[in-house]
């Protein structure tokens, strides 16, 4: 006996609302990534102008982390779909 289970869009009430919530959270994450990028760039600039290597390196790390967060947020749906499809090929 084989089990055959697939995702079901109409299995539970509120799936459409949950999709809207996830989309809103992704939007908030992208906005916060932009804010973090701006703040980190300002910190990097202040650190460079004041000859403070610790502050400048913190700003650089912040820029990289905020860019990585934006990439992961933007690629989240594609990554999940990719790994879902990989999982479906396992037998």
């Amino acid at each position: 006996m084989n089990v055959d289970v697939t995702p079901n869009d109409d299995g539970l009430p509120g799936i459409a609302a949950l999709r809207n919530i996830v989309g809103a959270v992704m939007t908030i994450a992208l906005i916060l990534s932009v804010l973090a990028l701006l703040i980190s760039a300002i910190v990097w600039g202040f650190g460079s102008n004041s000859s403070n290597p610790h502050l400048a390196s913190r700003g650089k790390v912040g820029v990289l982390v905020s860019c990585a967060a934006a990439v992961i947020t933007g690629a989240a749906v594609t990554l999940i779909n990719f790994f879902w499809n990989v999982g479906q090929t396992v037998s």
Side-chain angles (χ1 to χ4, degrees), residues 26-63:
M26 288 176 69
T27 301
I28 292 169
L30 289 174
I31 291 170
L32 291 177
S33 294
V34 171
L35 179 63
L37 178 68
L38 293 173
I39 291 171
S40 298
I42 291 169
V43 168
W44 186 359
F46 280 141
S48 294
N49 281 338
S50 65
S51 298
N52 187 339
H54 179 71
L55 195 61
S57 68
R58 289 289 183 145
K60 290 177 190 177
V61 170
V63 166

